[in-house]
Amino acid sequence: MGMVGGGRGAFIGAVHRMAANLDGKIELVAGCFSSDPEKSKLSGEDFFLDPSRVYTSYEEMAEKEAALPADKRIDFVSIVVRNNLHVPVAKAFLKAGINVICDKPMALSLAEAKEFAEIVKSSGKVFALTHNYTGYPMVKEARAMVKAGKLGRLLKVVAEYPQGYASSAFKEAAPSKIANWRMDPNVSGVSNCMGDIGSHAENLARYITGLEIEELAAELTTFIPGRSLDDDGNVLVRYQNGVKGIIYASQVSTGDENNLNIRVYGTEGSIEWHQEHPNELVVKFLDKPREIWRRGNSYNGPEASAFTRLPFGHPEAFIEAFANVYLAASEAIRDELAGKFPRPEGYDFPNVDDGVAGMAFIEATVASAKNNAAWTKPGH
Amino acid sequence: MGMVGGGRGAFIGAVHRMAANLDGKIELVAGCFSSDPEKSKLSGEDFFLDPSRVYTSYEEMAEKEAALPADKRIDFVSIVVRNNLHVPVAKAFLKAGINVICDKPMALSLAEAKEFAEIVKSSGKVFALTHNYTGYPMVKEARAMVKAGKLGRLLKVVAEYPQGYASSAFKEAAPSKIANWRMDPNVSGVSNCMGDIGSHAENLARYITGLEIEELAAELTTFIPGRSLDDDGNVLVRYQNGVKGIIYASQVSTGDENNLNIRVYGTEGSIEWHQEHPNELVVKFLDKPREIWRRGNSYNGPEASAFTRLPFGHPEAFIEAFANVYLAASEAIRDELAGKFPRPEGYDFPNVDDGVAGMAFIEATVASAKNNAAWTKPGH
Amino acid sequence: MGMVGGGRGAFIGAVHRMAANLDGKIELVAGCFSSDPEKSKLSGEDFFLDPSRVYTSYEEMAEKEAALPADKRIDFVSIVVRNNLHVPVAKAFLKAGINVICDKPMALSLAEAKEFAEIVKSSGKVFALTHNYTGYPMVKEARAMVKAGKLGRLLKVVAEYPQGYASSAFKEAAPSKIANWRMDPNVSGVSNCMGDIGSHAENLARYITGLEIEELAAELTTFIPGRSLDDDGNVLVRYQNGVKGIIYASQVSTGDENNLNIRVYGTEGSIEWHQEHPNELVVKFLDKPREIWRRGNSYNGPEASAFTRLPFGHPEAFIEAFANVYLAASEAIRDELAGKFPRPEGYDFPNVDDGVAGMAFIEATVASAKNNAAWTKPGH
Amino acid sequence: MGMVGGGRGAFIGAVHRMAANLDGKIELVAGCFSSDPEKSKLSGEDFFLDPSRVYTSYEEMAEKEAALPADKRIDFVSIVVRNNLHVPVAKAFLKAGINVICDKPMALSLAEAKEFAEIVKSSGKVFALTHNYTGYPMVKEARAMVKAGKLGRLLKVVAEYPQGYASSAFKEAAPSKIANWRMDPNVSGVSNCMGDIGSHAENLARYITGLEIEELAAELTTFIPGRSLDDDGNVLVRYQNGVKGIIYASQVSTGDENNLNIRVYGTEGSIEWHQEHPNELVVKFLDKPREIWRRGNSYNGPEASAFTRLPFGHPEAFIEAFANVYLAASEAIRDELAGKFPRPEGYDFPNVDDGVAGMAFIEATVASAKNNAAWTKPGH
């Protein structure tokens, strides 16, 4: 694979590389790791790359890689740049005939996302979006349960994503660098908290339940002085079929870490999953003992088992879930390289439709919040 | 004490009696346990009462008890009748000069609550409302922390109260009896779920934070077919001082039991408390190890310690918390009997102001929900 | 009831009174609360007793109560004195024809226990020992599961009871008063830690599994300088039928509170119960999702349900479990007063046989420990 | 790196490869994956190896790799064969001048282990033993706390490792293949359960506390019919300095998964760590709120932080801990290749001394168990 972004010191780039490395089937062979050529070069050395395949611009990389013979060029590119460059970089590689795995959120706006979705679809190439939390086996187990109707008719969804890391800003003289670009609408998009993590909560609910949002009422808040974008948001949701929901996210939930949780309630049962204890899925059926479904057991369904590497009791975690997006996307990429893409039964990774839904969600929350939490239908 | 309501088989009456019995300082000596005289009489026998003090109407009871000499008559009455009778019964006893401990919600409407509050205040008698969850020692610890500013400036409150017991109705031919009166607006009031349990979540948030609600936007739902009142509600809240909140409650959160939880976030720390594990308070300060404050330890503050009966590790639970409302109210009643009511420093039990705030909350949620979740200010 | 011991400030006496009070069916009417007549009298006032029934010696109390007419005298006495007086006081009341509920450990030695057991059996009176942890409903559920063979053939039992309260002695100049008598063999018996809490762990294992100990190998330690009795003990156990066990207890497990836990493993499943979260029973069947059985649900068996006061999700705890020993003993006492004791099917409270087994366990651990952890058979 | 063992379908080989791959700094380039040449060849293809470096015997591999120029040959070999081949294979590579990372237990007997330790020490090469549980950051945090004296003087250690996977044998007609070799003393050594997992518990206690075992008393049991080696063991331990311990392990703790837990108690505080929730370390200081130390926070010490890849709240797990053994060993290997091995300050990975201590522990438990749990001093 190749990589755009993610040079020395970048958190998410390192995660993508660990995820790609894990199974020993993907090798990083080319990259453009920084807009600073020197930094890109040094990062290439860190990763033991042939210097001739460390590029100084993504355009150059797309062009030159495409010009290599099929058995030499990268099979796909992994895009881990700032939000505003996701679409431009992805477009360049798709145009060059190269498959893409891209960090989220997919685009800066719904309009950009929709236009880009057309490009992806007409490209015939693979596009995967790393909504990594859907990669956890017990999330897949939850989805399979819902699909099989084990919870009965769905009634309610509560997806929450409180983080507290930004609260350190309350006592800082000057905000940190990472906060800076996340708070810049030109780079980050119309929302910070909803764009960065609210969209994960939304995607997780979407993945498990398969439900589309009909309308939502959102309250976004900027608690940290001097910032222009939200750091907290609470959303009432009306899903299809009369299902009600709450989605909330926060970066100022002091003391919380990466506390993504979801509960889905149906007429006959409910499930509960906590990202910080990802190997367990709590399942509650009416008038029965509560059940804890644990990863790696013989009673796990095929959806979870296919994405499980270790036996029960040997915990898997964030990297493995992230690697599962790569694993599922790799299957599609192999199919594409073999001229067999797409399979009729589909693939189990977040795709461009999820990206469009995510952008529609983000824009709708911002629009609703500007309109005093008026009910707002996400665009399509 | 005396009791109105709570005869054989009534859940909440039994709880009140256990709470009153626990410390061996309150004795049930009179009662009117049912509108059915025979049932009232049999209940009196169950409780070893002198038959002459088992009454057939609350009016008779108030009148006859008041006519007894001071050292013979009840010091207070405990009211555990259906919602619509709370105010009429309480009025009768206050008028007869007898202190009152009353189940919640206090009244059928905000108007009734406000009028009743005037009566209480001019009576000079004690009126306590059994918002029992405020009786837990670790809830008192949380309140003391907030008051002492340990969490910094408050930012956000999330209070949730999902229950799942009503989901059995989805597979029942005929709804159960208890559901019946709870679903009858003439008995239960304008809301079922918000009135019964949402108001507990609201009161718990109010007790811990001391914040008033400025406005709210509510979505109420009736999921169970054939019912006229809500069984689920999600509320966005704007508190004083820019604090944001979510309050939600549900009786169709299948598989949940009595899952009242609260999280309060400030700029410097946050707390988290779960009713089903009431002896622990999770405290999270920025950049410090998470702390679990446990009941009965020397580091507990005086507010919690004053309401603690057992050493650490010997768990206390629901009955003890309920008994703490009785314990605190008893102090006021003793003061009243000694002509020293009220103490200038106040008492630590839910009172008529909490009852008015609760009714204002309930009515505002119903009004907002009817108005498509429009922002609504609770009346005062 | 009457009470011997448990005056002002005594922890366990207060617990017994709360347990007795809870259900409103037992009334404290007589007592000898202290060997100091003045203190006994003041305690009697605290408990609103008729001064004529506050006694200055237990012998006087047994004699005078027995002389009262049947409908006036106490139905039973609750004994909460120091260990060395359990048997003398109990004997006096049994001799006077009065039923007894007694705190544990039952006696100072196995010989005393065995002799006393004969007295109890020939008395025809009720004797209940407050091994209170067997009163928890989910412990009863566990016992019923084992009895019904749901775990298959039993293999292993791990019962642990670490407390940490005594660790404060490591930094104290002078040990506290309570520690003093507990460390005095003439008052406390041959063991402190094993006698006080190890015996609870042993009794809990015995109650749930029904297994007798064939032999044990014990290591007892006195960590706190200047003490003569053990404050920590680790025991290997060989039960009947080849079942293996570990029982350990400690008072210097710094930071632990009252951390009594038990795990019982069989060929087909296992259970796990934690006293500090008593409303849950973890049940693990081979190749099935882990189950959390929770108190108060319709799926609970009759053994647990009979000792449940509150609906699910409304936690019960230590006092209720303690009250369950009183509840079960009360049934026997009612039978005895009605001349129908004992029922053929028996009762569900710890009795004199448990007391003998407990003393046999304690003495065997001490003997084994003195003999360098040699395998030792408990006497019978 | 090269690998011996771990072909297609082998669990632990796959774990070693994932651990090695994770950070993108180690590349598998040679191997002898099976004693069956065809299987070895196919495994080599699975791992994209140059066929010329897929060998049919480990002797051939050691010889031929050693003959390659320094910049071509493997820097180290990873040994994941059955227990009885650990020492022979390791010797061959050390003799060939190649560093070794080896699975545990190190040897078949203490005598073999001690002899091998001499070879390692005189070789000047790196030898790392994958006692992987010491790789968890919060285990390193625990060790640092003990070393810094934060728990005061140590009193007691409880290390437990119950698994339940073997309980399926109770209902099987024929035991499974993996169980077979584990139950063969010629392949597995003198103990199955103690050798396989008891030794992990022992090593974890040793790593965190730094204590040597003075003597132990062990009860080993074979519950599964037809087996010759233990599947359950309970051990009383006397450590240096009067510290007491319990170590137990089981493969028939039905329903448990990989439930390795440790508690270490000192005079001033205690720690508790659970392998199945590895990102948390419970810390309990006398008379203070319980603390939960969580991985990835700024308050973590340098020992934990050096082995942390992801920010707080993004859980790490088994693979990362395993990779940390590779990470630490890689530093030593880099030093060795640069002629700078060993560093005076040492390295943080399990080494040959741990292997000897582990074998001494295993043999002592077996000897004690054969002698009716007599106190036995591990050999040195």
Side-chain angles (χ1 to χ4, degrees), chain B residues 52-63:
Chain B
S52 73
R53 294 178 81 181
V54 178
Y55 303 94
T56 55
S57 81
Y58 69 83
E59 296 91 339
E60 182 202 2
M61 177 174 165
E63 191 186 330

Side-chain angles (χ1 to χ4, degrees), chain A residues 153 155-156 158 160 162 164-165 167-168 170-171 217-221 223 232-238 242-246 248-250 252-257 259 261 263 265-270 272 276 284-287 290 372-373 375, chain B residues 153 155-156 158 160 162 164-165 167-168 170-171 217-221 223 232-238 242-246 248-250 252-257 259 261 263 265-270 272 276 284-287 290 372-373 375:
Chain A
R153 180 167 57 87
L155 304 173
K156 189 166 181 177
V158 181
E160 58 187 37
Y165 77 93
S167 288
S168 56
F170 289 114
K171 53 177 192 180
E219 167 96 319
L220 303 186
T221 308
F223 281 109
D232 185 276
N234 304 328
V235 187
L236 301 181
V237 180
R238 292 174 180 159
V243 177
K244 299 299 171 70
I246 298 173
Y248 76 86
S250 178
V252 294
S253 289
T254 311
D256 279 349
E257 298 189 348
N259 199 10
N261 302 305
R263 289 180 263 186
Y265 297 99
T267 51
E268 295 171 29
S270 62
E272 185 176 324
E276 294 186 0
K284 303 175 232 176
F285 293 113
L286 201 59
D287 298 329
R290 197 161 286 188
N372 199 25
W375 289 101
Chain B
R153 181 167 57 85
L155 304 173
K156 188 166 181 176
V158 180
E160 58 188 36
Y165 77 93
S167 288
S168 55
F170 290 114
K171 52 177 191 179
E219 167 95 320
L220 302 187
T221 308
F223 281 109
D232 185 275
N234 304 327
V235 188
L236 301 181
V237 180
R238 292 174 179 159
V243 177
K244 299 299 171 70
I246 298 172
Y248 76 86
S250 178
V252 293
S253 289
T254 311
D256 279 349
E257 298 188 349
N259 199 11
N261 302 306
R263 290 180 263 187
Y265 297 99
T267 50
E268 295 171 29
S270 62
E272 185 176 325
E276 294 186 0
K284 303 174 231 176
F285 293 114
L286 199 60
D287 298 330
R290 198 161 285 188
N372 199 24
W375 289 101

Side-chain angles (χ1 to χ4, degrees), chain B residues 10-180:
Chain B
F11 157 59
I12 203 67
V15 167
H16 278 253
R17 282 190 300 272
M18 286 190 277
N21 285 335
L22 186 67
D23 294 315
K25 307 220 165 160
I26 297 170
E27 194 181 0
L28 179 65
V29 293
C32 167
F33 301 101
S34 172
S35 48
D36 171 346
E38 183 59 19
K39 204 174 157 195
S40 186
K41 194 180 144 233
L42 288 172
S43 294
E45 289 172 11
D46 286 355
F47 311 143
F48 312 106
L49 299 195
D50 176 345
S52 73
R53 294 178 81 181
V54 178
Y55 303 94
T56 55
S57 81
Y58 69 83
E59 296 91 339
E60 182 202 2
M61 177 174 165
E63 191 186 330
K64 294 204 174 157
E65 286 290 322
L68 292 174
D71 65 333
K72 295 287 176 196
R73 73 170 165 247
I74 55 176
D75 293 332
F76 68 95
V77 67
S78 182
I79 301 175
V80 292
V81 292
R82 290 177 180 185
N83 299 355
N84 58 326
L85 289 172
H86 287 172
V87 163
V89 178
K91 272 187 189 171
F93 281 87
L94 290 174
K95 210 173 138 189
I98 293 171
N99 299 300
V100 170
I101 296 180
C102 182
D103 210 60
K104 43 60 51 188
M106 189 167 79
L108 271 199
S109 70
L110 176 59
E112 191 191 37
K114 288 163 79 171
E115 189 209 325
F116 177 64
E118 293 307 312
I119 292 170
V120 169
K121 286 175 184 175
S122 63
S123 76
K125 297 293 163 192
V126 177
F127 178 83
L129 194 68
T130 51
H131 271 302
N132 51 295
Y133 298 109
T134 63
Y136 278 110
M138 298 320 283
V139 168
K140 296 184 185 295
E141 189 81 45
R143 185 199 206 192
M145 275 188 192
V146 169
K147 210 177 252 182
K150 288 190 185 167
L151 309 187
R153 181 167 57 85
L154 295 191
L155 304 173
K156 188 166 181 176
V157 178
V158 180
E160 58 188 36
Y161 200 156
Q163 297 182 327
Y165 77 93
S167 288
S168 55
F170 290 114
K171 52 177 191 179
E172 276 170 11
S176 70
K177 194 191 157 198
I178 189 165
N180 265 347

Side-chain angles (χ1 to χ4, degrees), chain D residues 151-233:
Chain D
L151 308 188
R153 180 167 59 86
L154 295 192
L155 303 173
K156 188 165 182 177
V157 178
V158 181
E160 59 187 37
Y161 199 156
Q163 298 182 328
Y165 78 92
S167 289
S168 56
F170 290 113
K171 52 177 193 180
E172 276 170 12
S176 69
K177 194 191 157 200
I178 187 164
N180 266 346
W181 76 256
R182 286 210 182 281
M183 296 315 281
D184 177 352
N186 295 322
V187 178
S188 189
V190 292
S191 163
N192 167 33
C193 178
M194 279 295 143
D196 187 27
I197 60 172
S199 60
H200 272 308
E202 175 272 333
N203 181 259
L204 184 62
R206 175 184 163 88
Y207 180 77
I208 291 178
T209 67
L211 293 169
E212 300 288 346
I213 294 175
E214 294 200 337
E215 51 185 349
L216 57 77
E219 166 96 320
L220 302 187
T221 308
T222 305
F223 281 110
I224 298 175
R227 293 201 169 173
S228 55
L229 292 178
D230 55 299
D231 46 36
D232 185 275

Side-chain angles (χ1 to χ4, degrees), chain B residues 9 14 22 36 38 133 137 190 192-193 214 239 248 319 351:
Chain B
L22 186 67
D36 171 346
E38 183 59 19
Y133 298 109
V190 292
N192 167 34
C193 179
E214 294 199 336
Y239 283 102
Y248 76 86
I319 293 289
N351 60 24

